[in-house]
């Protein structure tokens, strides 16, 4: 199913029917990152063959790093599995190692703006953080304005959807599912 990029009402209607709403990774963003990786690999090779031992080491490190990025982006381009799926039970993300994060384990969902990028931060309970950590995921902490810390997961970046609309919809779904 191709999920509309901006249609919050269509997402909500699909979820209300008991169906999951999948969000795939953007092919355009993946192709852009593939091109960037190839450019940086070429720059790294030029550094590796162009001078002193320091430049050679830095060049090979750059080649290795961006080659790994190239592999990840090519896999993302051809693997058509969703990066994020919202279901009546909760949220499943490629970044969450323990699988489904139930709505009951989500405390808050909000946008975090860093420069011109918007990231979706999902605040989870300590129990869910422990479950994710046991599955091999390093769960992040975020410090609130009052100095308290909370455990958070981030929705994957590079989805074929606008993050502000997705974040707004997830916030609304969270509120409606946790106040029932």
């Amino acid at each position: 199913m191709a999920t509309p990029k901006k249609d919050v009402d269509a997402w909500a209607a699909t979820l209300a029917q008991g169906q999951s709403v999948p969000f795939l990774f953007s092919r355009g963003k993946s192709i852009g990152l593939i091109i960037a990786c190839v450019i940086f690999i070429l720059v790294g090779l030029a550094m590796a063959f162009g001078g002193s031992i320091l430049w050679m080491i830095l060049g090979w490190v750059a080649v290795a790093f961006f080659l790994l990025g190239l592999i990840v982006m090519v896999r993302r381009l051809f693997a058509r599995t969703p990066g994020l799926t919202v279901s009546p039970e909760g949220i499943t993300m490629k970044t969450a190692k323990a699988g489904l994060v139930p709505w009951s384990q989500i405390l808050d969902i909000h946008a975090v703006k860093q420069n011109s990028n918007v990231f979706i931060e999902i605040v989870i309970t300590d129990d869910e953080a422990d479950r994710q950590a046991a599955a091999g995921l390093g769960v992040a902490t975020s410090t609130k304005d009052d100095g308290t810390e909370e455990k958070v997961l981030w929705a994957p970046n590079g989805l074929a959807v606008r993050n502000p609309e997705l974040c707004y919809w997830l916030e609304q779904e969270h509120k409606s599912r946790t106040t029932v």
Side-chain angles (χ1 to χ4, degrees), residues 114-138:
Q114 191 173 39
N115 298 328
S116 62
N117 296 317
V118 176
F119 299 95
I120 300 173
E121 194 170 74
I122 301 170
V123 181
I124 56 175
T125 63
D126 288 335
D127 290 340
E128 182 63 21
D130 293 341
R131 189 174 79 89
Q132 292 291 337
L137 178 67

Side-chain angles (χ1 to χ4, degrees), residues 8-22:
V8 174
D9 294 333
W11 303 338
T14 301
L15 198 61
Q17 294 173 359
Q19 298 175 354
S20 296
V21 182

Side-chain angles (χ1 to χ4, degrees), residues 5-175:
K5 290 184 180 183
K6 296 182 187 179
D7 197 348
V8 174
D9 294 333
W11 303 338
T14 301
L15 198 61
Q17 294 173 359
Q19 298 175 354
S20 296
V21 182
F23 294 94
L24 300 174
F25 286 107
S26 167
R27 287 182 182 245
K29 292 174 187 175
S30 296
I31 290 170
L33 289 170
I34 287 170
I35 292 168
C37 285
V38 168
I39 290 169
F40 282 111
I41 288 170
L42 294 174
V43 169
L45 287 171
M47 289 170 58
F49 293 114
S52 71
I53 190 78
L54 177 64
W55 283 111
M56 185 179 80
I57 292 170
L58 289 175
W60 285 115
V61 168
V63 168
F65 178 76
F66 288 105
L67 188 58
L68 179 64
L70 179 67
I71 292 167
V72 169
M73 287 301 115
V74 168
R75 285 183 63 204
R76 181 182 279 187
L77 181 65
F78 292 108
R80 299 314 295 160
T81 56
L84 181 133
T85 302
V86 181
S87 68
E89 296 79 33
I91 301 172
T92 305
M93 301 178 281
K94 270 222 179 272
T95 54
K97 301 287 186 203
L100 178 79
V101 179
W103 290 110
S104 61
Q105 298 297 309
I106 298 173
L107 301 175
D108 191 21
I109 300 173
H110 54 267
V112 176
K113 189 168 184 173
Q114 191 173 39
N115 298 328
S116 62
N117 296 317
V118 176
F119 299 95
I120 300 173
E121 194 170 74
I122 301 170
V123 181
I124 56 175
T125 63
D126 288 335
D127 290 340
E128 182 63 21
D130 293 341
R131 189 174 79 89
Q132 292 291 337
L137 178 67
V139 177
T141 57
S142 178
T143 305
K144 295 169 48 174
D145 291 337
D146 63 3
T148 59
E149 290 187 342
E150 52 193 12
K151 306 286 185 178
V152 297
L153 299 174
W154 289 294
N157 238 0
L159 297 173
V161 64
R162 289 184 30 88
N163 276 357
E165 283 87 353
L166 179 59
C167 186
Y168 169 78
W169 178 60
L170 289 174
E171 289 171 340
Q172 298 308 310
E173 287 298 327
H174 174 256
K175 286 178 187 171

